[in-house]
Amino acid sequence: QLRQSIQQTYPIQQVSQKDELAAMAGLSTVELCWHWASIDTQVIDAADFSSTQDIQSGFEFAQYIHQHVSNMDTESLIGFKRRLMGYVGEQNVADLLIEQGHVVEVAQTANQPVWDLLVDGEKVNVKTVQDIASIKAQALAYPDTIYLVPEDAIGEANGNIVRLDGFNHEQLQNLTDQTVDNSVDATDAVINIAGHLPVVPLLFSIMRNR
């Protein structure tokens, strides 16, 4: 499949199979490194925070996904993405509030009850939800905690439920889904070799001339 994709984009003539396979192996490695390096740091931090494993880089995130997520059935994968997106939301909100000049303290554990962040000393629970109605009962039960919800969440935000500009459910869902899906099947990164690496046509031109 990889060979066919490359041949269609950059027709290769008079190149031995050995040279062709060596080139594809090298370019695949470059592409995978590009993919690992481009994984959003908020996703990496969220995975590290929610996992018992030490995940500090895109490569370690890809390893974690390969070892623990690749063989999940559809329902389990959806649940994993939903949980991870919640932690990505916490990272996103913490970064937004710090940029606004607030003093933010992140909970020490992923299962901290009631609050996720202390913002200027106030307890804050981050809810990466699409529908505000789904958290209203919980917000009523803890009136001293501020519940931050995405700017695009549907429903009425009142009382201790507050929308946060820049905190966007759709964007975080797309980010989480794409990052996990691309890491579940590393072939996706390899097949996209010609998509954004300008060095590819140059390398194959050199091979043809050689």
Side-chain angles (χ1 to χ4, degrees):
Q1 186 179 6
L2 176 59
R3 176 182 293 170
Q4 183 180 15
S5 175
I6 292 176
Q7 288 277 12
Q8 289 173 351
T9 309
Y10 309 110
I12 305 170
Q13 298 173 353
Q14 298 179 344
V15 177
S16 71
Q17 184 179 19
K18 180 179 179 181
D19 287 341
E20 183 182 347
L21 291 175
M24 283 191 283
L27 290 169
S28 299
T29 302
V30 171
E31 175 66 18
L32 286 173
C33 289
W34 181 288
H35 169 68
W36 295 330
S38 64
I39 293 177
D40 194 284
T41 55
Q42 290 182 344
V43 179
I44 295 173
D45 291 343
D48 179 58
F49 182 67
S50 61
S51 169
T52 57
Q53 290 191 324
D54 187 29
I55 304 173
Q56 301 297 325
S57 67
F59 175 67
E60 291 173 347
F61 176 82
Q63 281 187 309
Y64 172 75
I65 294 297
H66 175 70
Q67 294 169 2
H68 300 280
V69 181
S70 294
N71 295 324
M72 285 184 177
D73 57 40
T74 301
E75 185 176 350
S76 298
L77 182 59
I78 291 173
F80 172 80
K81 289 179 181 178
R82 187 180 296 117
R83 289 189 298 274
L84 180 61
M85 185 175 70
Y87 293 115
V88 174
E90 292 177 17
Q91 297 292 328
N92 180 236
V93 168
D95 289 346
L96 286 171
L97 294 175
I98 291 172
E99 288 175 4
Q100 294 174 8
H102 296 282
V103 177
V104 178
E105 179 183 341
V106 180
Q108 294 298 308
T109 60
N111 58 354
Q112 166 71 39
V114 184
W115 59 272
D116 303 311
L117 309 172
L118 291 178
V119 182
D120 301 329
E122 297 285 338
K123 290 183 290 186
V124 171
N125 193 310
V126 179
K127 291 297 184 184
T128 314
V129 294
Q130 193 171 24
D131 189 349
I132 293 175
S134 64
I135 65 161
K136 283 204 168 183
Q138 184 178 355
L140 285 172
Y142 298 97
D144 295 331
T145 300
I146 298 172
Y147 285 76
L148 291 181
V149 297
E151 59 187 1
D152 58 338
I154 62 174
E156 184 179 1
N158 51 29
N160 59 333
I161 301 177
V162 180
R163 296 182 191 274
L164 178 63
D165 292 339
F167 177 31
N168 188 281
H169 178 276
E170 183 178 4
Q171 291 177 0
L172 292 178
Q173 184 171 43
N174 290 338
L175 171 65
T176 305
D177 288 348
Q178 290 173 9
T179 303
V180 172
D181 290 343
N182 286 341
S183 297
V184 165
D185 187 2
T187 309
D188 289 348
V190 179
I191 293 302
N192 289 331
I193 262 183
H196 54 68
L197 291 181
V199 73
V200 174
L202 174 62
L203 289 178
F204 277 108
S205 177
I206 291 172
M207 287 179 60
R208 285 197 298 271
N209 289 329
R210 174 180 174 274

